[in-house]
Amino acid sequence: MLTSLYIKNYALIDELNVKFNNGLTIITGETGAGKSILLGGLSLVLGKRADLSQVKNSNDKCIIEAVFDIANYDLKALFERQDLDYDVQTIIRREILPSGKSRAFINDTPVTLDDLSSISSYLIDIHSQHQTLLLTEDNFQFKVIDALAKNEEELNAYSLVLGAYKTAEKELASLISSKAELIKEYDYNLFLSQELNEIDFKKINIQDLETQYEALSNVEVIEEKLAAAKSILSTDDIGVVDQLNSAKQELTKIAGFGTSYESVRARIVSVSIELDDLLLEIDNLIDALVTEPEELERISNTLQSLNNLMQKHSASNLEELISIKEDLQEKIDNTESLDASIAKQEKIIAEHKQKLGAIASKIHEKRKKVIPTLISKLEHILGELGMPNAKFKINLEPTKAFMPNGKDALQFLLMANKGSSYNELKKSASGGELSRIMLAIKSILAEYVQLPSIMFDEIDTGVSGEISNKMGDIMKGMSQRMQVFTITHLPQIAAKGISHFKVFKTDVNEVTHTNMKKLNEEDRIVEIAQMLGGIDVTESALAHAKQLLN
């Protein structure tokens, strides 16, 4: 419930601080006194966008602060989801700075207007002519039916499965789209992959292949040069071997004349041995030389294929080419496995549809069951509100599509007068009738769910006499279960309240100010007497006012 409201520097209000009680609170005042200003300030607390023109003194900050007792509202989980501090005495504050910038706070935590609206919608409901149009909207009509049917648990379960169902549908659409794109590339990727698979990259070393290629392609040159080297070393008389042997013989003759000569001879002997070994190695190399044209062609083709593939795929080395091969194979595998993924996703969607259908069927049956009760209550209340011939028909038909709140199409039809036909509310009910229907619905809802505080803004427009008295009784009945405010011009309704506030204007130094005060018992008698008979209060008006209050 709203326990207090503080307004400073807003429109015609300098500063206002009022406290409210539970039950039915009446707000009265002459036309133009500023009741709409009060509602405007309260609307800012509910998340309405601020306007600098609403600030009374543009050099000062405008403040609107409302305190709510939310102990019985079960909103702790909502506050946690919004990452807000929960307090049973919740304070909502709006500020409009001289710069025109607006700020909003919930329990001293800065919030966005969207966050503010999502919280405040659970705290207070301002019922105006504009809100009456909600009657004609499907969402509101479903909320009414579901409140009576106590469908909250089923609707929450349905919403969870519907979210999973829509996610699965998006994933399926993505898979199908991916398949269409991948199929376009599949044949080409398969061709490239097969081309790369012709070479066993694990057994290839390009450097070794190039070495083998050089050796096989130059066998004749190698043989020729090895033979020439051998000839230089071993040709009789002029070869290095013979020359070295001659030198060894000459040094042997003087080796005994000193260690230095023996040392030189020994080194010649060592060179001679090494030379013999070298000649043997050259012979072995010559013997090992073979001509393998087929192997040469194979290596040549392999190197050519590798070079062509690296050029084709813009790879600078074998590692990059292997990576490209692996990527192509992954694309091929993904394409080939998409059908299985699509089938799996279709199975998941079918399971979700089955669950949704089962929950939606349960919701439908519970809705169908309470429709006669709702119609009976509506027609009874409207009969007391001056619409004795009003008849309702509520059509509830199953649909094929999964809607946000089930699989039903809902239609509220009204026959306002005898002899007329049933028609949609927006076509068959006047503004005044819609207001009475909304009051009837809100009073019925109050029996089934914990509604927030509600403020009726001149819902009694165009109503008088016994009907206004009944309206007052309905609002008073609602106030047994919730906090109710009503802005009224009718004394019959004003007399029903537990608390009564008057909004009035004063002129100070040629400046108009709006004020609000709580009326005591004597003030209430005078106020209601003036509502009955005008400014000049008569004894009969006072007597009538006392009678209404009693």
Side-chain angles (χ1 to χ4, degrees):
M1 60 172 282
L2 176 65
T3 59
S4 67
L5 179 65
Y6 175 78
I7 300 176
K8 180 180 179 181
N9 194 34
Y10 177 76
L12 298 179
I13 298 174
D14 288 320
E15 188 170 27
L16 179 67
N17 192 358
V18 290
K19 297 186 182 299
F20 301 107
N21 298 318
N22 210 341
L24 177 60
T25 297
I26 303 297
I27 300 174
T28 59
E30 295 180 6
T31 301
K35 298 185 294 296
S36 61
I37 295 174
L38 183 68
L39 287 178
L42 194 56
S43 296
L44 287 175
V45 170
L46 303 183
K48 180 183 176 182
R49 294 201 171 273
D51 186 348
L52 187 59
S53 65
Q54 298 169 322
V55 178
K56 182 175 176 62
N57 184 346
S58 60
N59 295 320
D60 295 330
K61 180 166 61 176
C62 168
I63 299 173
I64 298 96
E65 184 175 279
V67 180
F68 293 90
D69 182 343
I70 61 172
N72 298 323
Y73 282 37
D74 194 23
L75 296 178
K76 191 171 184 179
L78 176 62
F79 274 67
E80 289 175 353
R81 287 197 299 271
Q82 300 282 19
D83 197 24
L84 295 169
D85 293 332
Y86 175 81
D87 194 323
V88 293
Q89 294 296 318
T90 284
I91 301 172
I92 296 181
R93 180 183 178 94
R94 283 294 299 277
E95 296 180 354
I96 307 175
L97 305 180
S99 63
K101 183 179 180 181
S102 168
R103 300 187 298 187
F105 303 86
I106 297 179
N107 292 333
D108 290 331
T109 299
V111 294
T112 65
L113 290 188
D114 287 340
D115 290 337
L116 180 60
S117 296
S118 67
I119 294 289
S120 62
S121 63
Y122 290 91
L123 305 181
I124 189 163
D125 173 17
I126 297 180
H127 176 85
S128 61
Q129 289 291 330
H130 171 72
Q131 199 211 34
T132 299
L133 297 177
L134 285 175
L135 271 174
T136 64
E137 296 180 4
D138 287 347
N139 285 342
F140 182 80
Q141 293 175 1
F142 272 116
K143 286 180 181 178
V144 174
I145 293 286
D146 288 325
L148 270 68
K150 300 188 182 301
N151 270 332
E152 183 178 4
E153 184 177 341
E154 287 80 4
L155 287 170
N156 287 337
Y158 178 89
S159 180
L160 288 174
V161 180
L162 182 63
Y165 171 74
K166 288 184 176 180
T167 299
E169 279 198 321
K170 287 180 181 178
E171 291 176 358
L172 176 62
S174 177
L175 286 172
I176 293 172
S177 176
S178 297
K179 180 180 179 181
E181 291 297 319
L182 288 173
I183 284 176
K184 293 178 184 177
E185 303 175 3
Y186 177 76
D187 290 338
Y188 183 57
N189 288 338
L190 187 62
F191 167 75
L192 293 177
S193 179
Q194 290 172 344
E195 193 176 46
L196 289 169
N197 284 331
E198 291 176 359
I199 298 175
D200 189 352
F201 291 101
K202 293 180 180 179
K203 297 180 179 180
I204 286 180
N205 185 307
I206 290 181
Q207 188 174 356
D208 289 346
L209 285 176
E210 290 176 342
T211 300
Q212 293 177 49
Y213 177 79
E214 290 298 324
L216 288 173
S217 61
N218 292 284
V219 169
E220 294 179 358
V221 175
I222 293 171
E223 185 177 17
E224 178 186 343
K225 298 306 178 184
L226 286 173
K230 179 181 177 182
S231 176
I232 292 171
L233 293 174
S234 61
T235 300
D236 292 342
D237 298 332
I238 61 171
V240 174
V241 174
D242 282 352
Q243 296 295 326
L244 193 59
N245 286 333
S246 296
K248 180 175 65 174
Q249 292 172 2
E250 295 298 328
L251 289 171
T252 299
K253 295 175 182 179
I254 62 171
F257 297 151
T259 57
S260 58
Y261 306 122
E262 172 57 27
S263 176
V264 172
R265 187 198 71 80
R267 291 174 68 185
I268 286 292
V269 171
S270 177
V271 171
S272 178
I273 294 170
E274 178 66 22
L275 193 57
D276 288 339
D277 188 59
L278 185 60
L279 281 169
L280 182 61
E281 180 68 21
I282 289 173
D283 284 336
N284 291 337
L285 289 173
I286 291 172
D287 292 341
L289 286 173
V290 290
T291 302
E292 296 183 271
E294 292 181 358
E295 180 67 8
L296 176 62
E297 183 179 6
R298 184 190 69 79
I299 294 173
S300 176
N301 290 339
T302 300
L303 287 172
Q304 184 63 44
S305 296
L306 286 171
N307 288 330
N308 289 341
L309 288 171
M310 284 192 285
Q311 185 175 6
K312 184 174 186 176
H313 294 282
S314 301
S316 59
N317 52 53
L318 194 62
E319 287 71 24
E320 288 186 14
L321 200 59
I322 292 172
S323 178
I324 290 168
K325 176 187 173 183
E326 291 172 350
D327 289 343
L328 283 170
Q329 189 60 49
E330 184 178 355
K331 289 180 180 178
I332 292 168
D333 292 342
N334 288 341
T335 304
E336 292 175 345
S337 65
L338 269 176
D339 285 338
S341 298
I342 288 173
K344 181 180 179 181
Q345 201 64 29
E346 287 174 340
K347 183 180 178 182
I348 291 172
I349 289 173
E351 291 172 353
H352 288 327
K353 286 180 72 173
Q354 185 178 8
K355 289 180 182 177
L356 284 172
I359 300 172
S361 178
K362 188 174 182 180
I363 291 171
H364 173 83
E365 290 304 317
K366 292 179 73 175
R367 286 169 174 169
K368 185 177 179 181
K369 188 175 180 180
V370 301
I371 284 176
T373 300
L374 176 59
I375 291 175
S376 175
K377 286 178 176 290
L378 273 174
E379 291 178 350
H380 174 72
I381 295 173
L382 290 176
E384 295 182 335
L385 293 177
M387 297 176 65
N389 298 318
K391 298 294 179 184
F392 267 92
K393 182 187 290 185
I394 300 177
N395 293 332
L396 185 74
E397 299 294 336
T399 63
K400 293 182 178 180
F402 291 111
M403 312 300 286
N405 56 3
K407 290 187 66 178
D408 290 325
L410 181 65
Q411 192 178 38
F412 274 49
L413 300 176
L414 172 68
M415 182 171 66
N417 302 292
K418 287 183 178 180
S420 60
S421 58
Y422 285 99
N423 213 332
E424 296 178 30
L425 288 179
K426 59 185 176 183
K427 295 180 180 178
S428 59
S430 65
E433 288 171 333
L434 283 175
S435 292
R436 282 181 256 179
I437 294 170
M438 179 62 94
L439 176 60
I441 285 176
K442 288 289 176 74
S443 67
I444 294 169
L445 285 177
E447 298 176 22
Y448 291 86
V449 293
Q450 177 62 58
L451 294 177
S453 298
I454 189 169
M455 180 171 287
F456 291 108
D457 179 18
E458 299 185 358
I459 195 173
D460 52 20
T461 300
V463 174
S464 59
E466 182 56 31
I467 295 174
S468 65
N469 189 54
K470 188 57 186 177
M471 271 190 166
D473 286 339
I474 291 173
M475 286 185 274
K476 188 172 182 178
M478 291 175 66
S479 73
Q480 302 299 313
R481 295 177 290 272
M482 59 186 293
Q483 185 184 39
V484 179
F485 295 87
T486 182
I487 297 173
T488 182
H489 290 289
L490 298 179
Q492 293 89 342
I493 292 177
K496 304 285 185 181
I498 301 299
S499 303
H500 190 156
F501 290 84
K502 180 175 182 177
V503 179
F504 60 96
K505 286 181 180 179
T506 58
D507 293 328
V508 180
N509 298 326
E510 303 298 322
V511 177
T512 301
H513 304 268
T514 289
N515 296 285
M516 180 177 181
K517 70 174 182 177
K518 186 175 183 179
L519 303 182
N520 58 31
E521 191 64 27
E522 291 183 3
D523 293 333
R524 287 192 73 184
I525 294 171
V526 174
E527 175 68 9
I528 293 174
Q530 289 179 337
M531 295 173 73
L532 286 165
I535 297 297
D536 297 326
V537 178
T538 63
E539 288 298 325
S540 61
L542 289 171
H544 191 182
K546 290 177 182 178
Q547 183 182 5
L548 288 174
L549 285 168
N550 291 328

